Amino acid sequence: MGSEGPFPGRVVLTISRRPEHRRLSRPVLIISAVDSSGAAGMPVDIRAAESLGLPVRCAVTAVTVQGDEGVAGIDPVDGGMVRASIESALSDPPGISAVKVGVLADASVATAVADTLVEAEARNIPVVVDPVILSTSDHALIDDDGAGILATRILSLCTVATPNSQEVEALRPYLGSGSSNTGSVIRLILEKGARALLVTDGEGAGDVCNDVLYLPDGTTQQFTHGRAGGPTPRGTGCALSTSIAAHLGLGMDLGEAVSRSIDFVTDLIENSKMVGNQMLLFPKG
């Protein structure tokens, strides 16, 4: 409101100072597909990253049609568009704190991602790869040529890959004759350049999960935790890899990032909610 100043008849406006905007951490770059049902893929990635306090930037690799019966269709985005999206995220301020890679759809997209991740690696930006080949309903989410690029190029650029045991087996045909069993697949991926491989046990049986982090020097770190009761929602692998990327982007070491992310996903599962006939992951609050 106006008030009388020292000069008669003149109105002096009192202007309050606006508080400074709080700065958020640098965004996580999500490279993945849109799931039309919201149960997996980029919708889950965004919810996970933002619930951990990090903004996101996105490079959409494909549009999928999904519902109660699984994947009904997938349409890859043009590889040039994916490349441009990633390059924009890497070049615009304030930069990227970490990268999460999910569904890649085809060879054109996989090539664009592989080419641009070279720059992320050169800048020491953590890269977390969820090597998705098949959906939960066994629908192919990448073509054979794209899977070959994923196995031989993209995994070699990652800070950590997060396959479950079925995904390790699905990678085997793309790694050559030396990959005769699970152990040899893990060894080959690490020999090709991946700095770590977290093989998750979420699809297993029993009351206990035993996730194992494999390192290139032959050492392992085990994360043993209770298995969430009841049916497991889709999107847990997406949320885990995004959470690891977010925690790495916040400066944590890999072991702590994995441990916190396992706890985070366990909480998501326990807080999941039914939407129609699908159970969706939700953060607390």
Side-chain angles (χ1 to χ4, degrees), residues 200-211 224-230 232 266 269-270:
T200 63
D201 187 33
E203 306 297 320
D207 296 331
V208 175
C209 286
N210 189 36
D211 303 328
T224 302
H225 54 99
R227 192 180 303 279
T232 301
T266 299
I269 294 171
E270 292 176 350

Side-chain angles (χ1 to χ4, degrees), residues 89-107:
L90 290 173
S91 63
D92 287 349
I96 296 299
S97 64
V99 179
K100 176 264 171 72
V101 180
V103 169
L104 294 170
D106 68 6

Side-chain angles (χ1 to χ4, degrees), residues 47-60:
R47 291 202 298 269
E50 290 186 343
S51 72
L52 291 167
L54 277 81
V56 299
R57 287 189 171 156
C58 302
V60 178

Side-chain angles (χ1 to χ4, degrees), residues 34-90:
V34 174
D35 176 350
S36 62
S37 74
M42 192 168 283
V44 168
D45 296 329
I46 293 171
R47 291 202 298 269
E50 290 186 343
S51 72
L52 291 167
L54 277 81
V56 299
R57 287 189 171 156
C58 302
V60 178
T61 59
V63 177
T64 71
V65 178
Q66 301 191 51
D68 296 351
E69 303 302 320
V71 179
I74 178 168
D75 190 4
V77 172
D78 175 74
M81 182 69 76
V82 176
R83 184 189 302 269
S85 297
I86 298 170
E87 289 174 345
S88 175
L90 290 173

